[in-house]
Amino acid sequence: MIANGEWSFTKDALHTFLASGIVLEDLPVPMGGEDYKVWTPHNKGQFSVSSAKEIIRKRQPILEGAKLLWRPAIHPSLAARNCKLLRGACATLDKAWLWIADVFGIFPHQNLTTAYKEAKGKSRMFKDLWLLAILVVRSELWMTRNGMVIKSQDDLRVLAYFRVQYRRVKISDPKECYWVPPEVDELQLCCDGASRGNPGRACAGVVVRDSEPNVLEAMSVGFWVRTNYLAELFCIIVALEWANKFGVGDICIRTDSMGADQAYSSDTLAILW
């Protein structure tokens, strides 16, 4: 840029200076001497790592409600997860806040600052618990959804590509189970009882199978209002009454109730045959 003590700009450089609004007459006059570097990001003109970091680092916007996270009453891991929620770095669910509203008598808001201001006029303990409840629910919803969504995102991507219609189902871990048919010349009575509520309206069902195994009989009965435990007990009695009515002696009772199995195995609840 300097030749023989004077400014010497190329056409491209001159065009760039003029386009950026630099007035050539305002440039300093070269006075000679040795050149030296000046680090303009620092006020003293000296290079520093901190000033270089400020130039290259990506600044994030100040998030509303971020100051509420880093408090002594909040665990750092809980604050970190909710910080990701504020930045929109994770998926969230929009529902499941009603139980908090029932406990505190305040309806929460998705905006953290607005939700915290709802507790205005309450005690410090109330405000801390209110804030903790909101943060915990937000974090748990995020972790629960991630556990469900991440496992199936590849399947959903393939289905979406081929435009296959699908419906969402509950994800559960499969458990191994088995069933053994009865012995020859023996009937197996599979019993199960349940109540809608505990207590609540109860009913029972019995399925009779032989050793093939073929379904020979199936029956159901209602018990009106009973507990779930009594429904399991009465279900076995219904099966035994059926066997007694038709003179069936060689039978095997199957039930999924450990309580009923222990009750009929003890001497306190003997069945008169």
Side-chain angles (χ1 to χ4, degrees), residues 232-251:
E232 297 280 7
L233 294 181
F234 292 166
C235 180
I236 297 177
I237 295 178
V238 170
L240 294 175
E241 288 179 342
W242 177 89
N244 186 39
K245 178 180 179 180
F246 292 97
V248 179
D250 295 332
I251 62 174

Side-chain angles (χ1 to χ4, degrees), residues 145-246:
R145 176 163 182 174
N146 284 350
M148 294 187 296
V149 172
I150 293 176
K151 293 179 182 178
S152 59
Q153 61 182 355
D154 291 336
D155 297 338
L156 296 179
R157 177 176 55 81
V158 174
L159 292 175
Y161 178 82
F162 290 103
R163 298 182 180 180
V164 178
Q165 297 294 329
Y166 59 88
R167 61 184 180 88
R168 296 185 180 275
V169 297
K170 293 183 178 180
I171 298 177
S172 59
D173 296 330
K175 296 182 180 180
E176 181 181 4
C177 61
Y178 60 92
W179 179 81
V180 179
E183 301 292 338
V184 180
D185 298 330
E186 183 183 59
L187 295 182
Q188 187 175 95
L189 282 66
C190 300
C191 311
D192 194 13
S195 63
R196 190 166 186 173
N198 200 16
R201 299 191 64 176
C203 60
V206 181
V207 176
V208 183
R209 293 180 180 269
D210 59 14
S211 59
E212 289 302 326
N214 299 313
V215 177
L216 304 181
E217 294 285 347
M219 67 197 81
S220 62
V221 62
F223 299 135
W224 196 235
V225 178
R226 293 288 186 274
T227 62
N228 189 69
Y229 175 68
L230 290 179
E232 297 280 7
L233 294 181
F234 292 166
C235 180
I236 297 177
I237 295 178
V238 170
L240 294 175
E241 288 179 342
W242 177 89
N244 186 39
K245 178 180 179 180
F246 292 97

